[in-house]
Amino acid sequence: MSAVEIDGLTKRYGDVTAVSELSLSVERGEVFGLLGPNGAGKSTTINVLLGFLDPTAGSVRVLGTDVTEDLQRVKRRVGLLPEAFEPVPNLTGREHVAAAIETKGADDDPDALLDRVGLDPEDARRPADDYSTGMFQRMALAVALVGDPDLLVLDEPSSGLDPNGVQLVRDIVREEAERGATVLFSSHILDEVERVSDRVAILRDGELAAVNSVENLRAEL
Ligand code: ADP
Ligand code: ADP
């Protein structure tokens, strides 16, 4: 069973076709990069995978479950770093992580997760509304890691991060893959994708332009 199976997915917003007849599968334990320029359909694909958007056509299975049939089952086993994390007003970074632990019924230590993503303990006790983009992204990453997800989905994880943060994301992707998790992440930066991925799908105007191993992709460039 694949970790992610996308079969003939089309998603339209009114007249805009964001994703067009996309089929691809991500194997268990794989680090899979979705590469494409802004507007290529990466976030739309991810949002359908997570059940935030209904497909216009086609189907999506995550960890063996059709997301339109049993979204809760999927959500318990997936960790998501969304493109735009919506903070709860006045909630501290630590409280965001603690809330995610509670929601997932996980037994993580919030401080250990915050330490792993390098969020300063003092900052973690301040409301996330005042965070810099980098701090905010680290908090969102900690939330995504709650409960050792079987599938970690990262939507443009390095956006807004300084070089240390970018390195942190790389390390976390590697560590999660070593633990046996499947990692699916999107980026518009080739270098970022090819450094950590086993395979890469290139999206262009909502269509799959290519799927390849990183070795073959390099050979073609
Ligand atoms: P990416 O993540 O690769 O930048 P998106 O999935 O965000 O791509 O966008 C794909 C296309 O769908 C773009 O043309 C974008 O403008 C359009 N789009 C995305 N979200 C919406 C929306 N809520 N309403 C209308 N069009 C949208
Ligand atoms: P952009 O790079 O698109 O101008 P930012 O760098 O401001 O956006 O933020 C990147 C993402 O992180 C945004 O989607 C935003 O929702 C989120 N974000 C960053 N900092 C905060 C914050 N303090 N409060 C809420 N959201 C934030």
Side-chain angles (χ1 to χ4, degrees):
M1 182 197 25
S2 305
V4 174
E5 267 182 72
I6 300 173
D7 190 11
L9 174 66
T10 293
K11 177 64 190 181
R12 287 191 202 97
Y13 303 101
D15 292 341
V16 178
T17 302
V19 175
S20 180
E21 294 176 33
L22 176 67
S23 295
L24 58 87
S25 57
V26 179
E27 301 311 317
R28 292 199 161 218
E30 199 171 28
V31 177
F32 194 97
L34 268 184
L35 178 67
N38 283 335
K42 305 181 298 296
S43 293
T44 299
T45 301
I46 286 172
N47 286 331
V48 172
L49 282 178
L50 276 293
F52 298 128
L53 292 172
D54 287 329
T56 305
S59 68
V60 163
R61 293 179 78 80
V62 175
L63 304 167
T65 302
D66 186 324
V67 288
T68 59
E69 278 165 15
D70 194 350
L71 185 57
Q72 288 321 309
R73 183 184 156 81
V74 170
K75 287 207 163 157
R76 274 196 303 274
R77 300 173 62 203
V78 176
L80 171 68
L81 176 73
E83 185 180 31
F85 188 102
E86 294 284 346
V88 179
N90 301 318
L91 217 58
T92 67
R94 191 178 186 280
E95 285 165 342
H96 277 90
V97 175
I101 292 170
E102 171 130 12
T103 303
K104 279 200 163 169
D107 59 2
D108 296 277
D109 172 1
D111 296 314
L113 277 172
L114 290 162
D115 182 57
R116 190 172 167 204
V117 299
L119 191 66
D120 180 86
E122 261 179 47
D123 291 334
R125 285 180 161 72
R126 292 199 287 117
D129 316 69
D130 300 330
Y131 284 2
S132 69
T133 301
M135 287 156 64
F136 196 79
Q137 194 74 347
R138 285 170 193 264
M139 175 192 81
L141 191 55
V143 167
L145 292 170
V146 165
D148 292 335
D150 295 327
L151 172 66
L152 182 64
V153 180
L154 308 173
D155 197 349
E156 296 276 359
S158 302
S159 71
L161 288 179
D162 62 13
N164 283 338
V166 173
Q167 184 60 48
L168 169 79
V169 169
R170 268 184 220 140
D171 292 343
I172 286 194
V173 168
R174 288 212 184 89
E175 287 160 18
E176 290 299 289
E178 273 162 25
R179 175 174 71 73
T182 307
V183 182
L184 171 66
F185 78 103
S186 81
S187 175
H188 60 283
I189 304 166
L190 171 66
D191 181 59
E192 183 183 332
V193 171
E194 72 165 356
R195 267 169 193 260
V196 292
S197 305
D198 298 312
R199 283 195 305 151
V200 176
I202 300 176
L203 284 184
R204 206 174 286 143
D205 295 333
E207 293 186 14
L208 187 63
V211 185
N212 226 325
S213 67
V214 166
E215 291 81 16
N216 291 341
L217 194 69
R218 274 209 195 98
E220 278 176 21
L221 288 175

